[in-house]
Amino acid sequence: MLPTIAWQDDAVVMVDQRKLPTREVYVTCQTPQDVARAIKTMVVRGAPVIGVAAAMGLALGLQRSPAAGTKQLTTEFLRHCDLLAATRPTAVNLFWAIDRMKTVFSRRVLAGAGVDDLRRLMRDEAQAIHDEDVASCREIGRLGGALVPQDAGILTHCNAGSLATAGYGTALGVIRGAVEQGRTVRVFADETRPVLQGARLTAWELVRDGIDTTVIADNMAAVLMRDKRINFVVVGADRIAANGDVANKIGTYTVAVLARQHGVPFYVAAPRSTIDLATSDGSGIPIEERSRREVTHVGATQIAPDQAKVYNPAFDVTPHALVSGIITERGVCRAPYSTSLAALFDRVPEQAVAR
Ligand code: MRU
């Protein structure tokens, strides 16, 4: 399994995803500021691992703090929570991980933990978030793998693999699960403009695993579906609203529309930390807009004139009606999602009761 991120010698080490697939370079973060920069600039990217990185960044802040008392330590900790929360707005795993760290921190302070205890406990909590994510992905892979037909042509978009999680992956976890269960698969990886996570990262991961992988430009999927070379779609998610609307990498919505048109099942694979029951539908999900340079350039090469206007939303929202199922570590949710997603958290949504 790929080492996406790790706590090592009181630092956070991560593979620089901007440099893959041509160079495998590791970045060492010494401070929460370093981690925030790494998230913002996409050294580390992908919803679940952004959450892990933030948790480790908070633990790093405590580790490095000169504070002698819990009052000062708390002030610094909360400042670092704000810093990390301001990095990228769409992936809810980031806010989920920060909230979890905050909750554990305040509980421990109330219970009378000292500065050294807090440092150790919060490092353990960050590691637990990491380890639980790997376990969730494994389970998503096991459950989702069973949905993949024998002799499958699978389309995936962006990178929802080991690199986007603490390990194994969500959408790529489903593909890995299918292979482990003995299915024959051929994977089509959308290149995923503008940042090319599919061509650079998904293809790199799958090729390393010896899985049959074909990179396609984003505008080729319709023809492959028409020709019956794709019969299954699986993607990851950055945030899933309570009604099952799914925010994921820009272009996912296009893929979902094509899948519906061609009668191809469209699955979303995500851990429960990606589900945001507090957001009722996709219209409430903040969509990050990134720099114009990502669109006007491919790597160092300029492909659009300076004078052109650019629109660069990093994510889109796929309406729940286009989603065949949401594969989580607790089971596969089906429509109506307002009920099935709430059940994952043992909650009954008001709408479900009203119906
Ligand atoms: O902008 P990115 O590369 O962070 O976007 C990542 C995605 O959209 C992934 O599909 C999503 O985070 C799921 S990762 C398991």
Side-chain angles (χ1 to χ4, degrees):
M1 218 161 63
L2 295 169
T4 310
I5 188 165
W7 181 276
Q8 238 172 48
D9 304 328
D10 282 345
V12 178
V13 181
M14 44 183 90
V15 63
D16 188 342
Q17 301 197 31
R18 301 167 308 179
K19 304 273 192 322
L20 291 170
T22 48
R23 282 192 297 148
E24 198 171 324
V25 175
Y26 288 82
V27 170
T28 301
C29 297
Q30 306 282 357
T31 64
Q33 287 76 11
D34 290 348
V35 174
R37 204 170 310 114
I39 294 173
K40 232 182 172 123
T41 58
M42 293 171 75
V43 167
V44 64
R45 36 67 48 205
V49 77
I50 288 177
V52 173
M56 288 187 172
L58 290 173
L60 204 51
L62 297 172
Q63 207 72 21
R64 297 288 160 115
S65 167
T70 50
K71 201 165 170 215
Q72 195 193 340
L73 198 70
T74 304
T75 308
E76 282 179 15
F77 176 74
L78 293 176
R79 199 160 30 82
H80 294 151
C81 287
D82 290 346
L83 170 81
L84 286 154
T87 50
R88 296 190 74 188
T90 305
V92 78
N93 309 63
L94 175 73
F95 308 99
W96 170 87
I98 293 170
D99 281 352
R100 175 165 159 177
M101 293 291 279
K102 262 188 193 169
T103 305
V104 172
F105 186 88
S106 52
R107 262 198 215 129
R108 298 299 187 173
V109 169
L110 284 174
V115 167
D116 287 339
D117 290 337
L118 285 167
R119 290 193 175 112
R120 181 178 45 78
L121 290 164
M122 298 312 290
R123 200 183 52 219
D124 291 351
E125 191 64 21
Q127 189 60 45
I129 290 174
H130 175 284
D131 297 349
E132 286 168 28
D133 188 56
V134 178
S136 294
C137 287
R138 286 266 176 201
E139 196 54 14
I140 287 168
R142 193 181 69 79
L143 294 169
L147 299 170
V148 174
Q150 179 53 274
D151 203 20
I154 305 177
L155 177 68
T156 190
H157 190 73
C158 193
N159 172 267
S162 290
L163 291 165
T165 60
Y168 200 70
T170 55
L172 297 197
V174 169
I175 293 170
R176 292 185 166 111
V179 171
E180 282 171 24
Q181 290 165 29
R183 312 276 196 311
T184 306
V185 304
R186 288 171 307 284
V187 179
F188 294 93
D190 267 345
E191 65 174 347
T192 319
R193 273 286 287 156
V195 181
L196 303 171
Q197 291 94 330
R200 295 187 304 103
L201 308 176
T202 294
W204 184 72
E205 280 195 33
L206 292 178
V207 164
R208 273 170 65 122
D209 276 8
I211 294 174
D212 183 321
T213 305
T214 305
V215 176
I216 58 171
D218 295 335
N219 48 8
M220 296 173 185
V223 165
L224 286 160
M225 288 187 193
R226 183 201 63 194
D227 295 347
K228 311 246 178 284
R229 293 174 66 192
I230 290 171
N231 60 0
F232 191 87
V233 177
V234 63
V235 297
D238 284 82
R239 190 187 294 230
I240 300 173
N243 72 342
D245 290 350
V246 175
N248 191 48
K249 179 53 54 193
I250 188 76
T252 303
Y253 177 30
T254 315
V255 171
V257 170
L258 292 177
R260 172 57 54 91
Q261 169 68 19
H262 293 90
V264 173
F266 176 92
Y267 281 95
V268 174
R272 291 190 312 153
S273 52
T274 305
I275 297 166
D276 178 12
L277 293 185
T279 299
S280 57
D281 61 58
S283 67
I285 300 177
I287 301 294
E288 176 184 12
E289 282 197 39
R290 293 187 62 87
S291 74
R292 60 174 277 123
R293 198 178 194 284
E294 287 182 353
V295 174
T296 58
H297 288 66
V298 175
T301 307
Q302 184 165 352
I303 56 163
D306 289 330
Q307 296 78 5
K309 288 194 272 185
V310 165
Y311 178 47
N312 186 17
F315 303 96
D316 60 25
V317 175
T318 298
H320 60 91
L322 297 178
V323 178
S324 308
I326 298 175
I327 306 161
T328 77
E329 72 277 27
R330 285 273 179 97
V332 181
C333 295
R334 305 278 181 182
Y337 293 108
S338 54
T339 309
S340 57
L341 291 174
L344 292 174
F345 300 87
D346 305 319
R347 276 189 228 164
V348 182
E350 276 170 36
Q351 308 95 296
V353 174
R355 259 187 235 130

